[in-house]
Amino acid sequence: MAKQGIFAGPRVRRLRRDQHLTQQAMAEMLGISDSYLALIEGNRRPLTASLILRLAELFDFDVRSLSQEEPGGGAAAMRRRLGDPLFADLSVDRAELEAWMDNAPGAAEAFARLFDRWREGGGVMEADGPSPVAKVRREIERWRNHFADLDAEAEALADELRIGAGDLYGAIAERLRVRHQLAIRILPFDVMPDRLRRLDLHARQLQLSELLDPAARTFQAAFQLAQIEAKAGIEALVSGAAFGDRPAERLYRQHVTSYVAAALMMPYGRFLRACEASGYDIQLLQRRFGAGYEQVAHRLTTLQRVGARGLPFFMLRIDRAGQMSKGYPGASGAALVYAVHRCPLWVIHHGFSQPGRLLHQLAELEDGSRWFTIARSVRHHGGAAGVPAAEHVVAVGVAAEHATSLAIARGVDLSGPAERIGLGCTHCQRPDCVQRAAPPAGRAVTINERERGLAPFSFVGD
């Protein structure tokens, strides 16, 4: 795997301030320009091996500390937390936040953990600590759901398979058979009624259910190939996460293995070029890469390769009760992904009543941020009598200023009126919402027996 420099801007800035040095003074000691040091401190340039050695020589510190993650997952993640309506009366600017993270990283990390646990419990503190799912989501967020080395490895493997055959599923099946002595066998539902995929090492078979559609079948075959051929990179990520929790390790391993499988089906360079040429037309991308809607939606959140970035999409998946089973903010920083509840005015809920239809909406949050969102219902693994199909709606979105290049947004006035939505009633301060189900948390309800407004609740501060 390609070796890259380390992005450790906050740690370098903290070291410089601890030494009471200006940027110009430290730059002179390192033999670089002060503008280049400013780029390093701003995480816009990595530290090279020679600079790391020079820092260690000059300041006598443990170079391993350079790779430590930023408190709270970084400045973007901290700004997202501080953007919660709970802090609406505060004004924490970028400089103040960076100074806090630089000068008191332990306190910033403690705040992040406390806030995240509060949000995971729906506003109620949980005593047992983060769940395995919460731990994995935080690790994925730390990487912004982009694993550069795995992407590069999958892209090289996809090119190799493409040379041998135009049919990716057939090429994967042949590679598993020839190189790994594993045959793929499609089994009837009555033979394998409760499994979609099973690896039978005794029979040297990857057994797949006939319930899988072609895109899902290719994905499961790619997943198996990734388990074998990308094992070293996958295990390095799992080990580096240091969960100390077996369920979290297994969930994370499953996620990054699925990441490789999706990258094998939709190789980074080809996929990004197709996105840009088609205006990120999800349905066209499905057909071009033989993938499912949800697979493409998830892949859109991962396009963050240095020098070849796609639009910063977020993605989430909900059921009919509004419960989120998948949520990836990617590089978007979208608060919509982190909301404890979903606003009923958001178009995502309409997908269940309009199955298979691609819906879109320009939405505006309380903080004034505007998002262009796309939603569609999906059904999983049905098709046999008596077999229930899981139903979800999958939504993707980008900040409105990035939506001008989307094919589906053509003709939409992105600066015009937008649907005013919130982050769930208990976290929404809008006083005039007729759809409100509960008053905001921490706000006292006011009752006037002589009047009845359009909104079902009024509260102090209206």
Side-chain angles (χ1 to χ4, degrees):
M1 295 185 187
K3 299 293 183 183
Q4 299 180 349
I6 295 173
F7 286 89
R11 180 69 181 90
V12 173
R13 184 165 56 246
R14 197 155 56 244
L15 172 66
R16 176 175 62 78
R17 290 175 177 174
D18 288 346
Q19 299 293 324
H20 305 291
L21 294 172
T22 64
Q23 279 189 338
Q24 183 178 7
M26 178 178 254
E28 288 178 358
M29 295 173 73
L30 294 172
I32 59 176
S33 68
D34 51 349
S35 60
Y36 187 70
L37 179 57
L39 291 173
I40 290 174
E41 291 189 0
N43 260 358
R44 285 176 288 172
R45 293 290 186 276
L47 276 172
T48 62
S50 59
L51 278 176
I52 291 172
L53 291 174
R54 184 65 175 153
L55 282 167
E57 178 185 334
L58 288 170
F59 303 110
D60 189 28
F61 75 105
D62 186 353
V63 296
R64 290 175 296 182
S65 66
L66 288 172
S67 62
Q68 292 175 353
E69 64 180 275
E70 297 180 68
M78 293 294 282
R79 283 197 297 273
R80 183 259 304 167
R81 294 181 180 95
L82 290 169
D84 189 276
L86 181 67
F87 309 119
D89 60 329
L90 302 177
S91 178
V92 182
D93 62 25
R94 183 185 298 268
E96 186 178 357
L97 175 60
E98 290 179 352
W100 180 35
M101 294 174 65
D102 287 346
N103 298 322
E109 176 67 21
F111 162 79
R113 294 182 187 181
L114 190 67
F115 180 88
D116 290 348
R117 192 175 306 176
W118 177 73
R119 290 303 295 269
E120 288 158 22
V124 178
M125 287 301 299
E126 297 177 348
D128 298 332
S131 67
V133 172
K135 290 179 181 178
V136 170
R137 282 180 176 164
R138 183 165 184 183
E139 183 66 10
I140 294 168
E141 180 184 348
R142 185 170 77 87
W143 286 93
R144 293 189 174 186
N145 201 27
H146 175 68
F147 305 94
D149 287 343
L150 292 183
D151 244 320
E153 187 173 357
E155 192 167 28
L157 178 55
D159 287 343
E160 187 178 341
L161 293 172
R162 189 184 180 200
I163 290 171
D167 170 32
L168 180 60
Y169 174 77
I172 293 173
E174 183 68 7
R175 190 175 184 99
L176 286 171
R177 185 185 68 80
V178 173
R179 185 166 296 194
H180 305 294
Q181 293 74 55
L182 281 175
I184 295 180
R185 186 177 180 188
I186 309 301
L187 293 180
F189 168 70
D190 56 347
V191 174
M192 197 165 66
D194 58 351
R195 295 287 185 276
L196 295 173
R197 181 190 77 240
R198 180 169 59 202
L199 178 62
D200 187 338
L201 289 174
H202 178 72
R204 302 300 300 173
Q205 288 180 350
L206 173 62
Q207 299 168 347
L208 301 179
S209 170
E210 65 179 344
L211 295 182
L212 294 169
D213 62 29
R217 191 175 293 179
T218 301
F219 179 84
Q220 296 299 340
F223 185 95
Q224 184 60 60
L225 187 60
Q227 280 188 320
I228 299 170
E229 299 207 9
K231 183 177 180 179
I234 291 168
E235 291 306 316
L237 282 168
V238 173
S239 175
F243 290 117
D245 180 335
R246 289 295 295 278
E249 287 179 2
R250 289 174 175 171
L251 276 172
Y252 189 52
R253 183 179 290 110
Q254 178 177 292
H255 175 83
V256 292
T257 306
S258 296
Y259 185 100
V260 178
L264 192 55
M265 292 177 67
M266 296 167 274
Y268 194 101
R270 275 188 278 149
F271 186 73
L272 179 59
R273 289 193 294 273
C275 286
E276 293 174 339
S278 69
Y280 291 82
D281 187 323
I282 299 178
Q283 293 175 320
L284 179 61
L285 293 168
Q286 282 182 252
R287 294 180 177 87
R288 186 168 298 180
F289 290 90
Y293 175 83
E294 185 174 330
Q295 292 169 346
V296 173
H298 185 186
R299 187 60 169 147
L300 289 176
T301 71
T302 70
L303 302 179
Q304 298 164 58
R305 177 178 288 176
V306 175
R309 298 185 191 276
L311 294 182
F313 278 91
F314 70 81
M315 172 256 189
L316 76 161
R317 186 182 75 181
I318 66 166
D319 61 19
R320 284 184 177 271
Q323 301 173 114
M324 183 180 73
S325 51
K326 283 187 179 179
Y328 304 110
S332 71
L336 288 163
V337 178
Y338 302 96
V340 176
H341 305 290
R342 253 57 53 195
C343 179
L345 300 176
W346 191 13
V347 74
I348 189 171
H349 300 286
H350 300 180
F352 292 106
S353 61
Q354 303 179 58
R357 184 180 174 190
L358 208 60
L359 306 173
H360 62 82
Q361 181 185 51
L362 180 63
E364 182 176 316
L365 297 180
E366 283 184 89
D367 62 4
S369 63
R370 295 161 66 90
W371 299 87
F372 188 83
T373 63
I374 307 164
R376 206 202 82 174
S377 64
V378 294
R379 288 169 62 88
H380 297 280
H381 317 314
V387 179
E391 292 182 293
H392 297 93
V393 168
V394 172
V396 297
V398 291
E401 63 263 28
H402 297 305
T404 53
S405 58
L406 300 184
I408 196 172
R410 289 169 190 159
V412 177
D413 182 3
L414 296 171
S415 61
E419 184 73 50
R420 297 168 71 236
I421 68 173
L423 301 177
C425 291
T426 58
H427 289 79
C428 178
Q429 307 291 323
R430 296 194 194 277
D432 55 351
C433 179
V434 298
Q435 193 68 54
R436 181 176 285 284
R443 300 288 292 276
V445 177
T446 59
I447 306 294
N448 188 335
E449 296 178 348
R450 299 175 62 184
E451 294 180 358
R452 169 63 164 87
L454 291 175
F457 294 96
S458 59
F459 37 89
V460 173
D462 292 359

